[in-house]
């Protein structure tokens, strides 16, 4: 009998080959699970040779083999015993290959390894495609009982179950990776949106104030959520400067809307009447009118005025507060004073909220720090909260430092507590240089402030990498 290539091609060959590719088994490394099948088959049936084969387009590839020479990884499909076996839905058995017309002319029978007995069970997919076979071979004729047929079929079913399980696991891993990639992409997109929105809620740069060093830092607790802290510094028409730091309740888009309303209301109110008490009262009225649906929206803030900048040795500060943590004056001699307008209430919560005001002077070498509660509520690695009681001692060591240096030190401190930090942090530092000390230049301030991935604000420190610096 002459075996032709066409005679060994199943009628569903195109779909069958697609199924072979589907299981991605070809040319994979040796595998213990399939090796155990061939070992079990050889031991169970007492044959010197057992194989697990996959029939490819033009070859028969051995996924596992026992009793074949080392280095034999595949053989041609024509002529081939396995290629003949996949033509059948049932087991394919040749008890004496020299006498069976299907195999009498096969070179594997007349040449090496001299096959006289061959039995194969098809490895069949759930949709009926035969990927290959589980085979047992002997060099002598032998009979094959009904129970043997069932056992060999069970081994082929075990191989198919293993392939299905691996395909399922591969698909699960691929799906998990795809979902993880989608989640990461969405998280990155939300982080970009949050960062873009956050930047619209902060001044793009801090202005240069005559006779002062100024620097700021903003750090959000979550990269994918917009924070509710805010700050600003801007000139008034009469030569004074206004500044504020605050924190709105909540997080996310609703907090962002409240932050935007608060920041621009404070700016507008200061332009109309810069008296700090009146500015906070104006903001309280706006928030009361804006949120009348029972959804309480409020904030805390310190609003201040700077007088005498650039024209006198001392700068006069008028500071009004509404429910916000105190500011700290770091004196040039190392003493630290809490600057807290006593009695100020939350802004926007009550229609007749009361606010308080205090005044102080900053002499050469003095620094004023304003911050939000992300600083005081940050925890050290041992779990202790920095708290108001610890801050004066920490700040005392910063006496005489430039505004950017104070920001850099506090930023480094926050970096050690960031894992425990649950709230955003805004810092605004105003410093009067010591007598004879030059005001920190814009470039120096920018370099000091640009060391953190968080949002720092020194004069001109927040240009994007593609934005040319001013000449």
């Amino acid at each position: 009998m002459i075996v032709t290539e066409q005679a060994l091609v199943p009628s569903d060959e195109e779909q069958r080959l697609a199924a072979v590719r589907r299981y991605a088994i070809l040319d994979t490394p040796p595998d213990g699970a399939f090796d155990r099948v061939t070992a079990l088959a050889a031991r169970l049936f007492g044959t010197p040779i057992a194989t697990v084969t996959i029939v490819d387009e033009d070859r028969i590839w051995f996924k596992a083999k026992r009793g074949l020479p080392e280095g034999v990884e595949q053989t041609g499909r024509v002529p081939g015993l396995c290629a003949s076996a996949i033509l059948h839905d049932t087991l394919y058995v040749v008890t004496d290959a020299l006498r069976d017309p299907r195999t009498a002319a096969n070179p594997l029978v007349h040449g090496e390894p001299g096959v006289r007995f061959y039995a194969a069970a098809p490895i069949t997919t759930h949709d009926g495609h035969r990927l290959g076979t589980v085979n047992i071979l002997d060099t002598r004729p032998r009979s094959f009982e009904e129970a043997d047929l069932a056992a060999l079929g069970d081994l082929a079913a075990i191989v198919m179950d293993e392939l299905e399980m691996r395909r399922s696991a591969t698909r699960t891993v691929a799906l998990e990776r795809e979902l993880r990639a989608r989640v990461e992409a969405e998280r990155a997109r939300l982080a970009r949106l949050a960062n873009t929105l956050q930047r619209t809620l902060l001044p793009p740069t801090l202005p240069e104030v005559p006779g002062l060093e100024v620097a700021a830092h903003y750090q959000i607790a979550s990269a994918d959520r917009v924070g509710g802290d805010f700050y600003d510094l801007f000139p008034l028409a009469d030569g004074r400067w206004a500044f504020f730091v605050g924190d709105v309740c909540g997080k996310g888009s609703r907090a962002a809307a409240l932050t935007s309303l608060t920041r621009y209301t404070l700016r507008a109110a200061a332009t109309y009447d810069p008296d700090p008490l009146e500015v906070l009262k104006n903001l309280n009225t706006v928030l009361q009118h804006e949120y009348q649906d029972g959804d309480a929206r409020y904030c805390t803030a310190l609003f201040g005025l700077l007088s005498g900048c650039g024209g006198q040795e001392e700068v006069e500060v008028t500071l009004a507060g509404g429910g916000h943590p105190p500011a700290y004056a770091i004196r040039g001699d190392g003493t630290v004073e809490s600057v807290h307008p006593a009695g100020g209430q939350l802004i926007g919560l009550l229609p007749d909220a009361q606010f308080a005001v205090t005044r102080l002077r900053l002499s050469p070498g003095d620094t004023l720090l304003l911050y939000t509660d992300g600083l005081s509520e940050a925890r050290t690695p041992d779990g202790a909260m920095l708290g108001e009681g610890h801050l004066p001692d920490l700040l005392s060591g910063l006496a005489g430092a430039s505004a950017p240096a104070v920001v850099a030190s506090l930023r480094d401190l926050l970096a050690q507590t960031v894992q425990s930090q649950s709230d955003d942090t805004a810092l605004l530092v105003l410093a009067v240089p010591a007598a004879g000390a030059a005001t920190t230049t814009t470039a120096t301030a920018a370099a000091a402030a640009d060391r953190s991935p968080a949002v720092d604000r020194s004069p001109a420190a927040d240009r994007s990498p593609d934005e040319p610096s001013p000449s």
Side-chain angles (χ1 to χ4, degrees):
M1 183 179 85
I2 299 176
V3 181
T4 64
E5 184 173 357
Q6 184 176 6
L8 299 180
V9 176
S11 59
D12 65 342
E13 179 65 356
E14 184 176 344
Q15 293 81 6
R16 191 195 70 80
L17 288 173
V20 170
R21 304 291 185 269
R22 188 169 70 210
Y23 289 92
I25 191 66
L26 289 170
D27 300 313
T28 55
D31 192 298
F34 298 100
D35 291 340
R36 284 190 289 274
V37 170
T38 57
L40 179 60
R43 185 167 59 251
L44 182 63
F45 300 109
T47 60
I49 302 173
T51 62
V52 174
T53 61
I54 303 297
V55 180
D56 197 6
E57 184 174 6
D58 55 2
R59 61 175 175 155
I60 296 171
W61 179 74
F62 297 101
K63 174 57 185 172
K65 61 184 186 294
R66 186 179 184 85
L68 293 180
E70 287 293 330
V72 176
E73 304 294 339
Q74 62 187 37
T75 186
R77 181 167 172 174
V78 178
L81 296 172
C82 299
S84 299
I86 65 166
L87 299 175
H88 304 273
D89 289 326
T90 58
L91 274 69
Y92 184 85
V93 180
V94 178
T95 57
D96 189 342
L98 281 176
R99 297 180 181 276
D100 194 310
R102 296 174 297 175
T103 57
N106 195 297
L108 297 176
V109 175
H110 290 282
E112 291 295 330
V115 175
R116 294 295 297 276
F117 168 80
Y118 174 76
I123 303 169
T124 308
T125 66
H126 64 86
D127 51 354
H129 298 299
R130 296 178 289 279
L131 307 178
T133 53
V134 174
N135 316 278
I136 52 175
L137 303 92
D138 204 339
T139 55
R140 60 183 177 84
R142 57 185 296 168
S143 61
F144 209 57
E145 304 298 334
E146 191 70 30
D148 296 329
L149 294 172
L152 188 59
D154 287 342
L155 290 178
I158 289 173
V159 170
M160 191 66 247
D161 289 344
E162 181 70 16
L163 291 174
E164 286 286 2
M165 183 179 67
R166 293 177 182 219
R167 179 176 177 241
S168 177
T170 299
R171 293 175 65 186
T172 299
V173 170
L175 179 60
E176 181 182 348
R177 288 176 178 172
E178 181 183 353
L179 291 176
R180 186 181 295 116
R182 289 181 181 178
V183 169
E184 292 299 326
E186 181 64 14
R187 183 176 297 164
R189 186 184 72 85
L190 291 175
R192 288 193 299 271
L193 289 175
N195 184 61
T196 300
L197 179 56
Q198 191 74 67
R199 287 177 178 272
T200 67
L201 303 177
L202 301 172
T205 61
L206 287 180
E208 295 187 6
V209 182
L212 284 185
E213 290 180 338
V214 298
H217 173 72
Y218 192 93
Q219 180 171 299
I220 55 177
S222 174
D224 56 0
R225 297 190 67 185
V226 182
D229 295 8
F230 57 90
Y231 64 85
D232 208 346
L233 172 66
F234 53 97
L236 298 174
D238 59 5
R240 291 182 294 177
W241 290 78
F243 63 92
F244 55 80
V245 167
D247 185 3
V248 306
C249 68
K251 294 286 187 297
S253 58
R254 299 176 71 185
L258 181 58
T259 299
S260 179
L261 174 64
T262 298
R263 179 169 175 244
Y264 289 104
T265 298
L266 287 172
R267 268 186 167 257
T271 301
Y272 176 74
D273 183 352
D275 177 81
L277 284 177
E278 293 303 317
V279 168
L280 294 187
K281 290 179 182 179
N282 191 308
L283 175 60
N284 190 74
T285 300
V286 169
L287 296 185
Q288 281 282 306
H289 289 169
E290 186 70 20
Y291 298 100
Q292 296 181 346
D293 55 359
D295 184 16
R297 296 310 236 172
Y298 57 88
C299 70
T300 67
L302 289 175
F303 180 91
L305 291 178
L306 301 172
S307 303
C309 297
Q312 303 175 17
E313 287 192 353
E314 290 189 331
V315 174
E316 183 176 343
V317 181
T318 304
L319 192 65
H324 199 78
Y328 281 103
I330 309 170
R331 300 301 182 179
D333 60 4
T335 59
V336 177
E337 302 172 9
S338 174
V339 183
H340 192 196
Q345 297 177 318
L346 293 174
I347 304 169
L349 195 60
L350 301 172
D352 55 351
Q354 300 297 307
F355 307 112
V357 67
T358 189
R359 292 176 175 79
L360 70 151
R361 291 181 176 273
L362 297 178
S363 300
D366 292 346
T367 300
L368 182 64
L369 166 67
L370 299 96
Y371 61 94
T372 58
D373 56 10
L375 176 63
S376 57
E377 294 180 1
R379 295 182 181 274
T380 59
D382 60 5
M385 187 179 293
L386 289 180
E388 305 299 345
H390 294 82
L391 282 176
D393 291 338
L394 295 170
L395 298 176
S396 179
L398 300 177
S402 66
V406 172
V407 163
S409 295
L410 294 176
R411 182 191 58 213
D412 292 343
L413 175 64
L414 285 170
Q416 301 171 19
T417 63
V418 67
Q419 291 184 346
S420 300
Q421 191 180 356
S422 60
D423 203 359
D424 310 313
T425 303
L427 306 174
L428 179 62
V429 177
L430 312 173
V432 181
T439 303
T440 303
T441 64
T442 296
T444 303
D450 195 42
R451 291 173 10 209
S452 170
V455 181
D456 288 297
R457 296 289 188 267
S458 298
D462 193 50
R463 289 185 296 272
S464 69
D466 298 327
E467 183 181 349
S469 56
S471 56

